[in-house]
Amino acid sequence: MDQVFNELSLSASLADEYSARPAILRLKEASDRLTTLGFSRQIRVTHDVAERQISPGRTLRRYLQSPAGGQDRTLRQWLLSRFSRAPYVEQLCTEQGITELEEYHIGNECCKGLALAALWGIPALSLSGDERFMPPHTMMTHTFLAEENGELQEEHCRVGIIREETDVRCHETAIQKILYVPLNDGIHMLAYARQQLDCLAFSATAEEQLEGILEGNPWLPRIHAILQELQRAMQEAIARNTIFNPKGFKYKPTESASATEGKKGQKHTFNFIEYDSQGNRNIFSLLCQSHMSITDGDRVYFCPDRNKGKVYIGHVGEHLPTKKYG
């Protein structure tokens, strides 16, 4: 998995280019540490990163092109090698069908790097100096149109911030869950879920969809995070005797019965198999309307059963049709 850079931290917050050396050195040390944890050496940046200001009146492009020697030259070469390789954040998301980067913002500024980091479930590298981005986390706002009524809605999202090597420590557990759980493809993810996420059950359709996700798919960590959240929410509902209430990922509970009538309802209905204590097989169908967003166009559809303590995963893939969609 690649590292991601927060382009908004290039906000002319450093006093001058001489202040850039220690800030970039700290960034390099943090990036090198992430590499030892399993990240690739590549740092994904937005297409406009070179035109953002590292200090007042000094763009990153001008800084990189200015003459330098010694450690300054080494750091410039490091930035060029880590930042320059395509695709940029925007192109990477377009190739994966992600169209929602513009929906994330801090104040009035779109924060595409932070959005991608949040979608991937990883912390973002950030240049020191801008006090908006203090480790270990910062908050951004996700503004989107609700599917059921077309009204504008907001949710607040937390994303990790790393400015120097010591900041990595508090994110290591989360990073290990992303990088070290066997998630290199959908088959391994399904095997992990069957062994570790005992509140989840999968339809044959969902199993086939997960098994078809190939190694290197960048949205595997997000699917994993959704499955983990469904497991957590059901465990909490049972332990506290409360309603099932998962958080984040544009969670939408079961819609009204009329939302998926007729043929559209059939597309939301999936078959499940369970075995009783005597080993007898029971095949049954469930209407899976509740969903969480993987991307702008893909969903995990499920049906929670609080009494059984189970979340039945019916579909992992493209947005299914409803009265409002499709």
Side-chain angles (χ1 to χ4, degrees):
M1 174 174 283
D2 296 334
Q3 302 173 46
V4 178
F5 180 69
N6 168 26
E7 75 281 2
L8 295 191
S9 63
L10 285 170
S11 56
S13 53
L14 298 174
D16 50 47
E17 66 177 86
Y18 300 104
S19 304
R21 182 201 295 178
I24 295 173
L25 179 59
R26 289 192 292 269
L27 189 73
K28 177 183 182 302
E29 292 170 344
S31 176
D32 289 345
R33 175 61 181 147
L34 290 177
T35 301
T36 67
L37 292 177
F39 282 93
S40 77
R41 295 165 59 86
Q42 180 63 38
I43 303 175
R44 293 297 172 193
V45 297
T46 54
H47 74 278
D48 65 344
V49 69
E51 305 309 321
R52 292 182 171 272
Q53 295 189 17
I54 195 167
S55 60
R58 192 78 161 177
T59 65
L60 181 62
R61 185 187 303 279
R62 287 185 58 196
Y63 170 78
L64 293 173
Q65 292 175 345
S66 62
Q71 188 181 56
D72 284 329
R73 183 179 181 214
T74 301
L75 290 174
R76 283 166 167 78
Q77 290 174 336
W78 176 82
L79 276 176
L80 283 170
S81 67
R82 297 296 182 91
F83 279 17
S84 60
R85 189 186 305 170
Y88 292 112
V89 165
E90 297 89 343
Q91 181 185 350
L92 181 67
C93 289
T94 298
E95 290 174 353
Q96 296 297 326
I98 307 305
T99 60
E100 57 193 276
L101 288 186
E102 301 284 351
E103 299 175 357
Y104 292 84
H105 54 92
I106 291 178
N108 295 321
E109 291 188 273
C110 182
C111 48
K112 296 178 181 178
L114 291 177
L116 180 59
L119 289 169
W120 280 359
I122 62 173
L125 288 168
S126 194
L127 193 69
S128 301
D130 193 321
E131 298 305 309
R132 294 177 298 174
F133 308 113
M134 295 292 292
H137 299 92
T138 193
M139 298 297 295
M140 58 184 174
T141 303
H142 181 201
T143 304
F144 58 95
L145 292 177
E147 295 173 9
E148 63 273 15
N149 54 25
E151 294 182 356
L152 203 62
Q153 292 189 2
E154 288 187 351
E155 64 178 0
H156 297 290
C157 309
R158 192 175 76 161
V159 60
I161 295 292
I162 293 176
R163 305 200 305 188
E164 57 186 65
E165 186 177 3
T166 56
D167 298 334
V168 176
R169 189 176 301 113
C170 69
H171 297 289
E172 284 191 13
T173 300
I175 288 171
Q176 289 171 354
K177 288 181 179 179
I178 293 296
L179 297 184
Y180 296 132
V181 170
L183 303 179
N184 46 317
D185 57 35
I187 293 176
H188 285 87
M189 175 179 287
L190 182 59
Y192 169 82
R194 287 169 173 163
Q195 294 172 5
Q196 302 295 329
L197 307 180
D198 58 348
C199 291
L200 307 186
F202 297 86
S203 71
T205 298
E207 289 181 348
E208 183 178 349
Q209 290 166 328
L210 285 171
E211 290 170 349
I213 299 177
L214 302 179
E215 182 177 355
N217 188 299
W219 305 115
L220 276 169
R222 186 164 173 87
I223 297 171
H224 174 248
I226 290 173
L227 299 182
Q228 290 275 20
E229 174 57 21
L230 294 176
Q231 169 82 7
R232 184 209 62 79
M234 184 55 75
Q235 287 178 327
E236 180 181 72
I238 295 170
R240 299 184 179 182
N241 196 27
T242 58
I243 63 170
F244 173 75
N245 187 28
K247 307 294 184 183
F249 306 102
K250 291 188 182 178
Y251 167 57
K252 295 296 180 186
T254 300
E255 301 174 359
S256 64
S258 62
T260 52
E261 293 176 333
K263 292 183 179 179
K264 291 182 179 180
Q266 294 174 13
K267 292 185 177 182
H268 285 256
T269 302
F270 301 94
N271 294 326
F272 296 84
I273 300 174
E274 284 185 340
Y275 293 87
D276 61 23
S277 57
Q278 282 74 44
N280 299 312
R281 189 170 75 160
N282 178 31
I283 301 176
F284 58 97
S285 299
L286 290 174
L287 184 64
C288 298
Q289 296 186 96
S290 298
H291 62 77
M292 284 180 155
S293 294
I294 305 169
T295 71
D296 199 39
D298 295 321
R299 302 285 186 272
V300 174
Y301 286 87
F302 54 91
C303 175
D305 189 325
R306 172 66 180 75
N307 294 327
K308 288 186 176 181
K310 286 286 186 181
V311 182
Y312 294 94
I313 312 295
H315 176 90
V316 182
E318 64 182 12
H319 198 325
L320 295 176
T322 65
K323 186 179 293 186
K324 292 283 187 178
Y325 182 89

